[in-house]
């Protein structure tokens, strides 16, 4: 008989690792919520045209990596490769920008890119993202970057760095683009790279091949060609970041893989991950909303890769879910004891204690092994003799100390013991 396997290049999270995955997502979401971002839940697929127009036809994401198909009604739909275009579509459709600005939203979930799978690069990837729409203030750029940094710090990650640059605005980018293209046309580039240069010269700056890097050494950089307004904006972002105590490195070679970016752009890089070192990235996209048919409103946001952030935690030996393990493991020996301990476990869970019970008539030895493996601090054991005397044995699993408690008051005893040994 044939068996099924998951589609290629999709990470699945199951216990115990899934607890760390959830903790990564929730910790990053919490950083966003604390800064006033409200949750938005969006469709996993959209009209194909939204991404073609929003993300850019010349990007790898749109030209090579989209999961696009016709639905039963013959519409071309695409599994979302990223979150920003969908957020802006929803904001325009529901008029969310008519309220107080900036409109601050966060989202999380799966995104789909037909990339060549490898460690840290998946076809179904998970992100936690934020978007702040409608206010073009450098302090907001700094806030967005600081929220991500704070989320990573709360997870316990320290090995990440922030790379920052400015990609300019509509006043200076076209002129710079022409200058760069002229420079690239003078280089002995191979045909595909030459074509890429004609389509979007900035993308060539991202070429990782040493022979191309060498040729690019004297390439003009956007950072040296910023308009006065873009330059001032960038300087102020840097000042606010310093005031917030957020360290960053300027990287004028930074090119993001999506076309909508303007002005501030950044990436979070972690060196413990090998080639796929970008654990998150984002930037400003001041023309996107108008491009998608909405008002002339600015925006800035980030997308943090949850899969890669989890890998970064693991590379640093950080376990984000460490604190959410089982606290008490109940071991009933025999049918009558089971009834008592199932009742006690219900009582404890109602008051918020994390409890597990040895089911299936496990013997004492097997059950105590499971108790150790569960990470619980205490085991609560009830045997036949305990039943006769109306007692239970409360065992501290780290010290091995054991004492007899009344079965009636067992739940209270457990709560008190947990409180006494935080
Ligand atoms: P992005 O840089 O394409 O930006 O993706 C953000 C993050 O998602 C990356 O830094 C990476 O951690 C993760 N990621 C991307 N592709 C993969 C993959 N194939 N496998 C695993 N992880 C991956 C965006 O998507 C923008 N929408 C972010 C943004 C929001 N900019 C402004 N607002």
């Amino acid at each position: 008989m044939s068996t099924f396997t998951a589609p290629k290049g999709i990470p699945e999270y199951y216990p115990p690792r899934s607890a760390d995955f959830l903790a990564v997502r929730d910790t990053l979401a919490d950083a966003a919520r604390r800064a006033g971002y409200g949750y938005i839940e969006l469709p996993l697929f959209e009209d194909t045209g939204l991404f073609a127009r929003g993300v850019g036809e010349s990007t790898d994401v749109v030209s090579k990596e989209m999961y696009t198909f016709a639905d039963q009604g013959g519409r071309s739909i695409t599994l979302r490769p990223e979150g920003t275009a969908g957020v802006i579509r929803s904001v325009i459709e529901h008029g969310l920008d008519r309220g107080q600005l900036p409109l601050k939203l966060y989202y999380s979930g799966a995104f789909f890119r037909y990339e060549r799978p490898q460690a840290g690069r998946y076809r179904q990837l998970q992100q936690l993202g934020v978007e702040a729409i409608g206010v073009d203030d450098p302090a907001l750029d700094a806030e967005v970057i600081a929220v991500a940094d704070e989320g990573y710090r709360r997870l316990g990650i320290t090995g990440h760095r922030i790379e920052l640059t400015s990609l300019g605005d509509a006043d200076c980018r076209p002129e710079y683009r022409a200058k760069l293209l002229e420079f690239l046309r003078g280089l002995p580039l191979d045909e595909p790279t030459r074509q890429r240069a004609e389509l979007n010269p900035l993308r060539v700056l991202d070429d990782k091949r040493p022979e191309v890097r060498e040729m690019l050494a004297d390439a003009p950089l956007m950072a040296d060609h910023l308009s006065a307004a873009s330059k001032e904006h960038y300087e102020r972002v840097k000042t606010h970041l310093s005031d917030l105590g957020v360290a960053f490195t300027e990287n004028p070679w930074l090119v993001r893989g999506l076309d909508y970016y303007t002005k501030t752009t950044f990436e979070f890089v972690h060196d413990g991950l090998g080639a796929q070192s970008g654990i998150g990235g984002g930037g400003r996209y001041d023309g996107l909303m108008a491009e998608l048919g909405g008002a002339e409103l600015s925006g800035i946001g980030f997308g943090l890769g949850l899969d890669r952030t989890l890998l970064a935690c693991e590379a640093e030996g950080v376990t984000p879910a460490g604190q959410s393990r089982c606290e008490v493991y109940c071991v009933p020996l025999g049918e009558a004891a089971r009834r008592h301990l199932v009742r006690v476990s219900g009582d404890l869970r109602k008051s918020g204690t994390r409890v597990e019970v040895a089911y299936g008539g496990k013997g004492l030895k097997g059950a105590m092994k499971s108790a150790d493996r569960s990470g619980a601090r205490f085991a609560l054991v009830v045997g036949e003799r305990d039943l006769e005397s109306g007692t239970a044995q409360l065992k501290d699993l780290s010290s091995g100390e054991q004492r007899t408690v009344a079965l009636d008051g067992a739940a209270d005893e457990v709560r008190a013991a947990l409180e006494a040994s935080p």
Side-chain angles (χ1 to χ4, degrees), residues 98-369:
R98 279 186 234 124
Q100 194 182 312
L101 298 175
L103 172 64
K104 291 162 78 170
L105 301 166
Y106 83 94
Y107 51 89
S108 78
F111 297 87
F112 307 87
R113 296 183 187 180
Y114 194 79
E115 295 200 72
R116 196 197 300 251
Q118 65 177 78
R121 187 163 71 196
Y122 308 117
R123 289 182 174 169
Q124 179 178 306
L125 57 121
Q126 306 251 357
Q127 281 185 13
L128 182 293
V130 310
E131 313 293 350
I133 296 153
V135 174
D136 183 9
D137 182 340
L140 186 59
D141 302 33
E143 173 185 284
V144 164
I145 296 171
V147 163
D149 189 54
E150 166 72 6
Y152 288 136
R153 276 179 201 292
R154 289 217 166 213
L155 279 171
I157 296 182
T158 53
H160 66 284
R161 64 171 186 280
I162 300 170
E163 297 199 345
L164 183 73
T165 196
S166 171
L167 290 180
D169 56 27
D171 285 336
C172 54
R173 184 97 71 89
E175 207 173 301
Y176 164 70
R177 192 181 188 277
K179 200 170 224 161
L180 178 61
L181 184 57
E182 193 186 301
F183 173 85
L184 295 174
R185 280 181 180 151
L187 297 179
L189 296 168
D190 58 60
E191 197 43 37
T193 313
R194 188 172 296 285
Q195 280 174 19
R196 193 146 16 106
E198 296 296 328
L199 211 58
N200 185 348
L202 265 82
R203 188 114 323 120
V204 178
L205 293 183
D206 203 23
D207 204 308
K208 303 280 186 293
R209 291 171 294 176
E211 65 277 17
V212 180
R213 294 234 65 84
E214 209 170 297
M215 283 191 252
L216 293 173
D218 295 326
L221 295 172
M222 186 71 247
D224 301 323
H225 294 82
L226 294 176
S227 65
S230 272
K231 193 165 172 49
E232 198 203 328
H233 185 100
Y234 186 47
E235 294 304 322
R236 285 172 58 195
V237 172
K238 289 189 285 181
T239 306
H240 287 304
L241 282 174
S242 302
D243 290 346
L244 285 163
V246 175
F248 58 88
T249 317
E250 288 183 75
N251 177 4
W253 292 87
L254 183 64
V255 178
R256 305 266 301 127
L258 313 166
D259 273 356
Y260 47 61
Y261 290 113
T262 55
K263 292 188 191 157
T264 316
T265 39
F266 53 89
E267 237 164 51
F268 288 82
V269 181
H270 196 285
D271 288 328
L273 301 189
Q276 305 307 313
S277 58
I279 55 173
R284 228 170 223 292
Y285 44 85
D286 289 350
L288 180 60
M289 189 134 161
E291 178 67 33
L292 294 177
E296 292 267 352
L297 287 180
S298 60
I300 178 160
F302 63 60
L304 308 182
L306 300 183
D307 314 275
R308 288 186 194 169
T309 303
L310 177 57
L311 291 172
C313 289
E314 288 165 351
E316 289 195 28
V318 166
T319 48
Q323 67 288 10
S324 65
R325 304 198 62 181
C326 170
E327 293 171 296
V328 188
Y329 198 93
C330 295
V331 179
L333 301 172
E335 197 47 44
R338 189 181 352 257
R339 267 198 77 183
H340 282 287
L341 281 187
V342 165
R343 183 177 45 72
V344 172
S345 71
D347 185 347
L348 283 169
R349 280 188 191 130
K350 271 182 209 143
S351 62
T353 307
R354 292 185 288 271
V355 189
E356 285 188 45
V357 181
Y359 293 115
K362 264 189 196 161
L364 181 61
K365 219 166 143 199
M368 291 311 286
K369 238 188 219 161

